[in-house]
Amino acid sequence: MKLFGTDGVRGEAGSFLTAELAMRVAMAAGIYFKSNSTTNKILVGKDTRRSGYMIENAIVSGLTAIGYDVIQIGPMPTPAIAFITENMRCDAGIMISASHNSYEDNGIKFFDAQGDKLPKEVEEKIEEIYFKKELIDESQAIGKSIGKAKRIDDVIGRYIVHLKNSFPDELSLSSMRVVLDTANGAAYKVGPTVLEELGAEVIVINNKPDGYNINENCGAIHVSELCKNVVRYRADLGIALDGDADRVVIVDENGEIVDGDQLMGALAQHLHVNRLLKGDGIVTTVMSNQALEDYLKTLKLKLYRSDVGDKNVLEVMKKEGINFGGEQSGHVIMHDYAKTGDGLATALAVLAYLVETNQKASFALRPFSLYPQKLVNIQVKEKKPLETIDGIGEMTQELEKKGMRHLIRYSGTENKLRLLLEGKDQKVMNQYMEKLVDFFKKVLNG
């Protein structure tokens, strides 16, 4: 059984992600972190899912059983866990969340002492330990060596101050009316507090979590209610977070969603003008629209592409000395202030841009037009290695001759092939997508 996916351990709570699995993976992680321990403390936070109680207690049991002291801080955004782990000098941080998934699922994300997500090779080492029963048995503490746990409720203040420090001192949000959708998730307290303390008039929706309504027809995945409320309240901006607030979707004053690539382009330009953009470029994934890359070229900035996943984006950012990047889905990394995608930090950067330039969101956040793009998922019986499929080379060469960017890859978690086509001519692109779909259905499903 494989534990780790693209973003930690995730699955249906009570079936895949049981209390037993959570306790054992916590013990395995604790054994790994103890090899480089400096403080013997691990931080644990969660979002608002009902299953979080079960998983949190199991994780605390597993960590204290091998001698770790645990700090529990309750519901807090994922980026807050990354920040507070480093700020409180912990050996590691653990976030219990399945991000934008519905309440039935839950997950476990790990951060190292610097607040960074674990590289794949470390996850593999933890997974190896998980299956070594003898090692886990030998590592259990006895007597005075057993760890202790304590709950701290006031660390929210540290994160609020940290977020406010990302907002320019000379600016105020007193002129801004904002609608904030917290997705009944982890930012239901911290989100409104930060915006109000910076002076904004805040209309908050979906901020009454009951353990089951996280992401339910709300938040970054379902923004229709936010769009309506922005128009209804004549707001300057709409902000939709997901369940653990590492992702944001922005809505302009007309109730229209701002595309993630256009948003990153606008912020990159603003950072560049203010000489705050390091590395003369930004990092996005292979999914980002070619129009973003072409726009950045006009600013003499470079676009670096990574594999899908904010962890992969951050890896390239570090390699190239870049402090800004993200995914078009809304995971934006402001690396001067966050080690992972941070929806609130990104929203504050957007608001600072609008206030400083005195522009409407509908104009400022769409600095270029997108090229037509189409994504199709095909259910497959088996994941044959793409390089072994006859005819695929000729097919992709034909796409390139027609000036179309393409991305063909298997899903990391499902038996699906994902096809992405992008080109300046919508009609031609649609025709070639039909050809691609027919081709792969025949070779993969007979």
Side-chain angles (χ1 to χ4, degrees):
M1 182 179 70
K2 184 168 175 56
L3 294 177
F4 287 90
T6 53
D7 194 15
V9 179
R10 187 180 298 187
E12 186 177 35
S15 57
F16 170 75
L17 186 46
T18 61
E20 181 182 6
L21 184 146
M23 182 172 69
R24 193 176 180 89
V25 77
M27 295 173 80
I31 291 168
Y32 173 80
F33 289 121
K34 265 192 175 295
S35 62
N36 294 301
S37 175
T38 57
T39 64
N40 200 51
K41 296 186 300 184
I42 288 184
L43 185 81
V44 177
K46 61 181 179 179
D47 65 21
T48 57
R49 296 163 210 269
R50 177 63 64 91
S51 59
Y53 292 103
M54 171 188 77
I55 296 166
E56 180 184 26
N57 286 326
I59 287 173
V60 172
S61 293
L63 292 173
T64 53
I66 62 163
Y68 254 115
D69 294 336
V70 182
I71 299 171
Q72 299 166 261
I73 62 172
M76 285 285 280
T78 288
I81 304 305
F83 166 70
I84 297 168
T85 294
E86 183 179 30
N87 186 258
M88 294 189 70
R89 309 293 194 272
C90 296
D91 287 343
I94 297 175
M95 177 64 179
I96 303 164
S97 175
S99 193
H100 58 273
N101 290 27
S102 61
Y103 83 90
E104 296 94 344
D105 293 338
N106 216 327
I108 305 171
K109 303 179 186 182
F110 293 95
F111 297 90
D112 65 19
Q114 288 73 48
D116 290 321
K117 288 184 178 179
L118 304 184
K120 186 177 180 181
E121 52 269 25
V122 173
E123 291 180 339
E124 288 173 350
K125 288 177 182 176
I126 292 172
E127 200 162 306
E128 284 177 20
I129 297 170
Y130 177 93
F131 291 106
K132 292 181 178 179
K133 183 179 184 302
E134 190 174 330
L135 176 57
I136 287 179
D137 289 343
E138 290 173 354
S139 300
Q140 295 192 41
I142 57 173
K144 293 182 179 180
S145 297
I146 295 172
K148 63 181 185 293
K150 64 177 178 179
R151 187 172 295 276
I152 302 177
D153 297 320
D154 61 356
V155 291
I156 187 173
R158 296 188 187 216
Y159 184 55
I160 289 171
V161 170
H162 173 65
L163 284 172
K164 288 167 66 178
N165 285 340
S166 75
F167 192 81
D169 291 339
E170 69 275 13
L171 300 182
S172 167
L173 294 180
S174 58
S175 63
M176 302 295 285
R177 178 181 292 171
V178 178
V179 181
L180 174 66
D181 185 343
T182 67
N184 294 311
Y188 77 102
K189 287 183 181 179
V190 66
T193 302
V194 169
L195 293 169
E196 287 168 357
E197 288 190 8
L198 288 170
E201 179 186 350
V202 187
I203 296 102
V204 191
I205 60 175
N206 300 307
N207 64 329
K208 294 179 172 57
D210 62 11
Y212 306 113
N213 60 1
I214 187 170
N215 300 313
E216 185 179 19
N217 298 318
C218 61
I221 302 300
H222 307 282
V223 294
S224 58
E225 183 185 356
L226 175 64
C227 294
K228 291 174 185 175
N229 276 287
V230 168
V231 175
R232 177 186 175 191
Y233 290 105
R234 298 178 183 175
D236 298 291
L237 200 72
I239 301 167
L241 305 171
D242 67 347
D244 67 338
D246 67 349
R247 176 176 176 177
V248 66
V249 171
I250 298 295
V251 173
D252 69 20
E253 78 280 3
N254 299 318
E256 299 290 333
I257 298 168
V258 178
D259 179 83
D261 283 331
Q262 291 178 316
L263 179 72
M264 286 190 286
L267 289 177
Q269 181 270 340
H270 183 59
L271 290 169
H272 179 55
V273 166
N274 285 281
R275 298 183 179 180
L276 297 172
L277 191 67
K278 298 173 185 174
D280 293 323
I282 75 171
V283 182
T284 62
T285 73
V286 291
M287 301 295 287
S288 276
N289 200 285
Q290 181 66 33
L292 171 59
E293 186 168 353
D294 292 347
Y295 169 69
L296 291 174
K297 285 178 183 176
T298 67
L299 303 175
K300 294 183 170 54
L301 297 175
K302 187 171 181 180
L303 179 69
Y304 297 86
R305 293 182 185 268
S306 75
D307 290 335
V308 175
D310 63 343
K311 183 162 54 176
N312 297 316
V313 171
L314 184 58
E315 188 176 317
V316 178
M317 287 172 65
K318 288 179 177 179
K319 179 184 175 184
E320 301 296 339
I322 288 171
N323 64 338
F324 179 73
E327 299 183 275
Q328 63 180 170
S329 60
H331 292 109
V332 179
I333 304 173
M334 315 283 296
H335 199 240
D336 289 346
Y337 302 101
K339 299 294 185 74
T340 185
D342 191 325
L344 286 168
T346 304
L348 290 179
V350 171
L351 287 163
Y353 175 34
L354 297 180
V355 171
E356 188 176 317
T357 59
N358 194 28
Q359 296 183 90
K360 295 286 188 183
S362 57
F363 174 77
L365 303 181
R366 294 190 180 89
F368 60 89
S369 297
L370 297 165
Y371 299 150
Q373 192 179 74
K374 190 167 187 175
L375 178 66
V376 174
N377 294 319
I378 302 174
Q379 195 76 33
V380 298
K381 293 177 181 177
E382 62 172 316
K383 296 180 180 178
K384 294 180 183 177
L386 294 175
E387 63 274 13
T388 67
I389 296 174
D390 290 336
I392 192 171
E394 292 83 350
M395 179 70 73
T396 55
Q397 284 176 14
E398 189 175 349
L399 293 172
E400 289 161 10
K401 284 180 183 177
K402 293 290 183 180
M404 278 181 282
R405 193 172 74 87
H406 57 84
L407 180 63
I408 302 169
R409 66 185 182 93
Y410 289 112
S411 164
T413 57
E414 303 172 276
N415 277 352
K416 287 182 179 178
L417 179 72
R418 304 198 192 282
L419 304 174
L420 173 71
L421 271 190
E422 181 182 280
K424 296 181 181 180
D425 189 318
Q426 178 88 47
K427 185 177 179 181
V428 173
M429 184 188 66
N430 287 338
Q431 290 172 348
Y432 273 91
M433 179 59 84
E434 288 179 13
K435 288 179 68 174
L436 267 183
V437 170
D438 288 343
F439 173 78
F440 282 109
K441 279 185 175 178
K442 287 176 183 175
V443 298
L444 295 177
N445 293 329

